[in-house]
Amino acid sequence: MRMPETTWTILAMKAGFFASVITFFAYVGVSTEAFTVLWSLMLIDMVTGISRQYRMNPQDITSHRWWLGMVKKIYTLIGILSLWLAIRWVGFDPTTFIAIVIPGFIAAELYSVIQNIYIFSTGEKVTEFNATKFVFQALLKIIRGRIESETEQVVKTYTIDKTDSNQKA
């Protein structure tokens, strides 16, 4: 039996996307192993999340929720890619910053996987902790702090320069 042409097209698009991401990581000097671990944990989290939901409330399993979950994972990757693109331009040391960010997201996915397995295995609800949200919130605080610090420095420098110009005149 032959696969429909649309299936081949979709497979080619997915392979192209994956190859592009791997190439990008290689370009910016990020370990493709770290990306592979992160992406693998994201997929495992999707599977364990579905099984957890099946155990707790099977009628809540919908393609819409699955699609939304997948889009969230892709947006997390887009966020990480955006960090890599801009990191040098906002004054962070890329090596140190990436060494903290990637393990943070890997740990967040691992936490979610373990949480899903625990709920599936025991049938007990646990207090939800969105570790990915926690990592993003920490990143936002760091970036906001940098923006505020740089802006204050520019304003201070501009104010000093303007005051000096007025005193000379």
Side-chain angles (χ1 to χ4, degrees), residues 77-151:
L77 291 175
I78 289 171
I80 294 168
L81 292 174
S82 298
L83 279 170
W84 279 314
L85 283 173
I87 202 150
R88 290 183 184 107
W89 300 103
V90 292
F92 293 115
D93 173 34
T95 308
T96 303
F97 201 66
I98 294 305
I100 294 167
V101 170
I102 290 298
F105 282 109
I106 288 173
E109 290 299 324
L110 177 61
Y111 184 92
S112 184
V113 167
I114 299 300
Q115 184 174 264
N116 289 338
I117 292 170
Y118 175 83
I119 293 169
F120 179 79
S121 297
T122 65
E124 298 173 9
K125 290 186 178 182
V126 296
T127 303
E128 288 286 326
F129 173 67
N130 188 333
T132 302
K133 177 181 174 183
F134 178 80
V135 173
F136 271 125
Q137 285 175 334
L139 286 171
L140 288 171
K141 286 179 187 176
I142 292 167
I143 293 168
R144 181 180 177 147
R146 174 65 79 171
I147 292 168
E148 289 173 350
S149 171
E150 294 294 324
T151 303

Side-chain angles (χ1 to χ4, degrees), residues 40-62 65-66 69-70 73 109-121 128:
S40 297
L41 283 171
M42 287 178 159
L43 292 175
I44 292 167
D45 183 42
M46 296 289 292
V47 171
T48 59
I50 291 168
S51 62
R52 174 193 74 169
Q53 194 61 38
Y54 181 79
R55 166 86 177 202
M56 299 306 291
N57 203 0
Q59 64 271 17
D60 283 348
I61 298 174
T62 65
R65 287 186 69 173
W66 182 88
M70 182 57 76
K73 302 287 186 196
E109 290 299 324
L110 177 61
Y111 184 92
S112 184
V113 167
I114 299 300
Q115 184 174 264
N116 289 338
I117 292 170
Y118 175 83
I119 293 169
F120 179 79
S121 297
E128 288 286 326

Side-chain angles (χ1 to χ4, degrees), residues 1 7 9 23 25 33-34 37 39-40 63-64 67 76 81-82 91 110 117 132 148-149 153 157 162:
M1 172 156 214
T7 303
T9 302
T23 302
F25 282 145
E33 180 182 8
V37 169
W39 184 246
S40 297
S63 61
H64 172 75
W67 182 249
T76 297
L81 292 174
S82 298
L110 177 61
I117 292 170
T132 302
E148 289 173 350
S149 171
Q153 185 63 37
T157 302
K162 190 173 181 179

